[in-house]
Structures are given as C-alpha cells and as structure tokens.
Amino acid sequence: AAAFYGHVTAGHPPAVAAARAWGARERVPMVDVATIVARHLAAGRFNPDGMHWGWECHAEVGQAVATAVRGQLSERAIIGS
C-alpha cells in the first residue's frame, strides 16, 4: 500500500491465490507472510519508503520459511543421508 504504488494492491490477492495453488499442487510449503508482515507494520517496524520490509521482518519470514522447509524435509526420506 505504498504511496509509490498509488496505494493500489488489486493484483496482490490474485497473485497470492495463484502462489498458494501452485504450492499445494507442487507440494511446496507455503508461509503466511501477510500475518508476519502485518505485525511488523502495526508495530511501525518497516522501511520508511513503505515498500520494503525491515530487517526484523525479513528475519522472521526467513525463520518461518526455514521451519516450513525443515518440516517438509523431515517428512520425506532424503537420499544419501
């Protein structure tokens, strides 16, 4: 919702839906990034340009992705381990 984008986010919901459908179809773990980002935005922890996440948000999203991937890997037999 950055001013540089004219506060237009109409393309976001369809993009999220497409990504989630792809993830489900390909069995790729997906992370609810919006919930993580919303907490940081509500707390005022974001880049002043309004378009980019702050470092803490990047770290939390990264941890969530790592957890999701780790969980999927533990469910599968890993060849060569």
Side-chain angles (χ1 to χ4, degrees):
F4 290 114
Y5 284 120
H7 300 282
V8 175
T9 58
H12 188 70
V16 170
R20 288 186 177 156
W22 172 82
R25 184 178 67 248
E26 300 298 326
R27 297 178 8 169
V28 173
M30 303 299 283
V31 172
D32 183 6
V33 174
T35 298
I36 296 168
V37 172
R39 282 197 307 271
H40 288 269
L41 290 175
R45 295 187 311 259
F46 54 88
N47 191 303
D49 68 5
M51 294 189 306
H52 298 92
W53 303 340
W55 295 117
E56 292 174 352
C57 187
H58 274 92
E60 190 173 340
V61 168
Q63 286 294 328
V65 170
T67 299
V69 170
R70 192 176 303 117
Q72 186 177 33
L73 291 176
S74 68
E75 293 174 4
R76 297 180 180 190
I78 301 173
I79 298 173
S81 64

